């Protein structure tokens, strides 16, 4: 007899409910192809219900004192800590990342819960002097209203946490649409919020596709702001649609992140950073390193040692403790990644290792791809310019620091960059001139912490930042308040 599939629901107005028309979609383990559950295949009617619930909850929530909102977030942090292992295991099955990384993903949610809970006792505004006597001038932060959070599959709990927690502490209410590939991790986060005592309607979950749920949410007249992480193509569509109603939008999009290794670098350390940044999460981080920019003097040595290390990486199910690299998210992504091999060769690059799907033994069940290093890559080749989002690293040789920085800055993206050097002057110059939102010195391109702003320059987004003190700028509206206690009309810029 076939095993019954777990059946999950949307969360709207404090109740778990099916999609209005009862439709469902399967979600599969990318390492085995096995179905892990059925999720609502929602549509515009579900979006309407969720936005109405969020709208109805807005006044109650925005008038709840921020420290009290923070207390709920502290409880979310505690509950996530208790459930960390269980959620991490579900995440590995749902998304494929290895268990240690899935634990890190949940930890990022915990970190954000505590950080934003603390913001409940800050949410700093401004008190400034007035130019007139007996008059006070202050700026306070107000929530925007109902926020749509549209999140990707590569950080199935961390990114929903970044967005929802920042939105909620500021007094907004939220409709969360998780990626179609990872609804379960988001659902587990929403369960935690419900168990922590979040009032009904304050956070709603609607599972479904970008066209059936995402776009109707972006276009809904009662949605005031949209926080989106995903591809550049979809980000542009979101921005164009939201512009019709002058809605506020934050976009966190692609990356083409590079590690620069100078001749004087600690090579062993650099190799550790390269391996972790290029092949961790199977290269499926926005911050993943996909270009290795290496100075001429050590290029051959570094390449040789890199290939030896890559050959040792073990592919497998993320729950197997021996696995270093899990599967890609699905077969379509594997085909996309593989398509770049022909592109690389046509442009004159060499496939130094990998370059094919990994199908030996049990790997045949999943969407695995061999960790791949391309050598002889020139900065203008497509593989050095386009985001591949897989375990593919391009090696580019340069002569000088100036050239390395120019190559780093010579793509449409500007998320993360890194330099390995022992020369303080080179490091300092790189910190100043690398045109990315995140810069690492003697560490790889991944591993941003939540207490600093996260985001990129140029084509990586539209200039906003998530996390840290950057997040509140997006999720709040400034209100300037003047209080005249002189008892007479004082005209600004005229009376003194
Ligand atoms: C992402 O890839 O979209 O800095 C997020 C990092 C993680 C977050 C990545 N803390 O790699």
């Amino acid at each position: 007899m076939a095993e019954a599939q777990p059946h999950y629901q949307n969360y709207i107005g404090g109740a778990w409910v099916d999609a209005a028309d009862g439709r469902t979609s399967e979600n599969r383990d990318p390492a085995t192809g096995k179905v892990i559950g059925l999720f609502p295949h929602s549509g515009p009617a579900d979006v309407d219900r969720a936005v109405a619930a969020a709208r109805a909850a807005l006044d109650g929530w925005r008038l709840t004192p921020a420290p009290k909102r923070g207390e709920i977030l502290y409880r979310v942090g505690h509950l996530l800590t208790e459930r960390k292992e269980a959620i991490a295991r579900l995440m590995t099955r749902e998304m494929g990342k290895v268990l240690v990384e899935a634990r890190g993903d949940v930890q990022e949610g915990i970190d954000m819960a505590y950080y934003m809970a603390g913001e409940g006792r800050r949410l700093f505004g401004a008190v400034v002097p007035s130019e007139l006597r007996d008059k006070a001038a202050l700026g306070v932060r107000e929530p925007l209203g109902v926020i749509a959070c549209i999140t990707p599959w590569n950080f199935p709990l961390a990114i929903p946490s970044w967005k929802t927690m920042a939105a909620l502490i500021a007094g907004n209410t939220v409709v969360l649409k998780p990626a179609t590939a990872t609804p379960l991790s988001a659902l587990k986060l929403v369960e935690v919020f419900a168990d922590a005592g979040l009032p009904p309607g304050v956070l709603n979950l609607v599972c479904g596709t970008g066209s059936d749920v995402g776009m109707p949410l972006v276009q809904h007249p009662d949605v005031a702001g949209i926080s989106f992480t995903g591809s550049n193509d979809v980000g542009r569509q979101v921005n164009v649609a939201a512009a019709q109603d002058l809605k506020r939008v934050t976009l966190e999009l692609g990356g083409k992140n590079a590690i620069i290794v100078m001749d004087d670098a600690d090579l062993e350390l650099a190799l550790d950073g390269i391996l972790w940044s290029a092949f961790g999460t199977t290269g499926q981080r926005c911050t993943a390193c996909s270009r290795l920019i290496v100075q001429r003097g050590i290029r051959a040595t570094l390449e040789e040692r890199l290939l030896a290390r890559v050959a040792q990486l073990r592919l497998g199910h993320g729950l197997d403790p021996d696995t270093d690299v899990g599967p890609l998210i699905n077969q379509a992504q594997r085909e996309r990644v593989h398509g770049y091999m022909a592109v690389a060769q046509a442009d004159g690059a060499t496939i130094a290792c990998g370059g094919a799907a990994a199908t030996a033994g049990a790997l045949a069940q999943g969407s695995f791809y061999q960790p791949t290093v391309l050598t002889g890559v020139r900065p203008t080749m497509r593989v050095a310019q386009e985001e591949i989002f897989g375990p593919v690293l391009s090696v580019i040789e340069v002569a000088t620091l100036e050239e390395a920085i120019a190559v780093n800055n010579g793509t449409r993206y500007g998320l993360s960059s890194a330099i390995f050097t022992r020369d303080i002057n080179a490091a300092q110059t790189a910190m100043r001139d690398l045109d990315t939102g995140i810069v690492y010195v003697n560490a790889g391109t991944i591993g941003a912490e939540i207490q600093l702003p996260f985001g990129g320059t140029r084509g990586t987004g539209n200039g906003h930042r998530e996390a840290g003190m950057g997040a509140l700028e997006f999720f709040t509206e400034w209100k300037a308040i003047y209080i005249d206690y002189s008892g007479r009309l004082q005209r600004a810029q005229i009376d003194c």
Side-chain angles (χ1 to χ4, degrees), residues 322-337:
D322 288 336
T323 297
D324 298 309
V325 180
L328 289 166
I329 188 67
N330 54 36
Q331 303 289 348
Q333 184 56 17
R334 178 162 78 173
E335 275 160 35
R336 211 183 142 266
V337 169

Side-chain angles (χ1 to χ4, degrees), residues 440-465:
Y440 292 92
V441 177
N442 291 328
T445 53
I446 67 176
E449 302 176 28
I450 60 90
Q451 57 275 22
L452 279 177
F454 181 95
T457 59
R458 298 174 283 134
T460 286
N462 61 345
H464 295 286
R465 291 293 184 270

Side-chain angles (χ1 to χ4, degrees), residues 155-369:
F155 274 80
L157 190 131
I159 295 181
S161 298
W162 296 358
K163 294 186 189 303
T164 58
M165 291 171 184
L168 292 174
I169 197 63
N172 302 285
T173 55
V174 171
V175 179
L176 169 62
K177 187 208 99 60
T180 36
T182 54
L184 184 54
S185 305
L187 188 146
K188 290 288 151 191
L189 175 66
V190 170
E191 250 175 35
V192 164
F193 271 104
D195 293 348
L198 193 73
V202 173
L203 172 62
N204 306 276
L205 175 79
V206 182
C207 302
T209 63
S211 48
D212 291 339
V213 176
M215 255 321 151
L217 202 46
V218 168
Q219 290 168 332
H220 198 293
D222 284 339
V223 167
I226 298 124
S227 180
F228 173 85
T229 299
S231 70
N232 276 63
D233 287 347
V234 178
R236 191 171 297 109
Q237 289 169 32
V238 167
N239 211 9
V240 167
Q244 301 299 329
D245 295 318
L246 306 177
K247 288 178 185 175
R248 193 183 288 199
V249 181
T250 174
L251 302 171
E252 210 52 77
L253 310 173
K256 192 69 197 172
N257 315 294
I259 292 179
I260 297 170
V261 184
M262 302 301 291
D263 282 345
D264 71 339
D266 175 338
L267 283 201
E268 214 42 52
L269 179 65
L271 279 165
D272 287 343
I274 295 162
L275 265 282
W276 174 230
S277 303
F279 303 113
T281 330
T282 321
Q284 301 172 110
R285 293 194 191 209
C286 308
T287 50
C289 170
S290 57
R291 295 182 298 156
L292 173 58
I293 302 173
V294 52
Q295 202 173 7
R296 190 163 294 157
I298 43 122
R299 202 261 311 147
T301 315
L302 187 67
E303 228 168 61
E304 189 185 298
R305 288 168 66 176
L306 173 65
L307 292 173
R309 292 278 298 268
V310 173
Q312 288 163 11
L313 293 173
R314 293 158 304 185
L315 273 62
H317 198 289
L319 290 176
D320 179 344
D322 288 336
T323 297
D324 298 309
V325 180
L328 289 166
I329 188 67
N330 54 36
Q331 303 289 348
Q333 184 56 17
R334 178 162 78 173
E335 275 160 35
R336 211 183 142 266
V337 169
H338 189 58
Y340 273 100
M341 296 305 118
V343 171
Q345 284 175 313
D347 282 350
T350 302
I351 300 173
C353 71
T359 52
L363 299 183
Q365 311 303 315
S367 42
F368 291 90
Y369 201 79

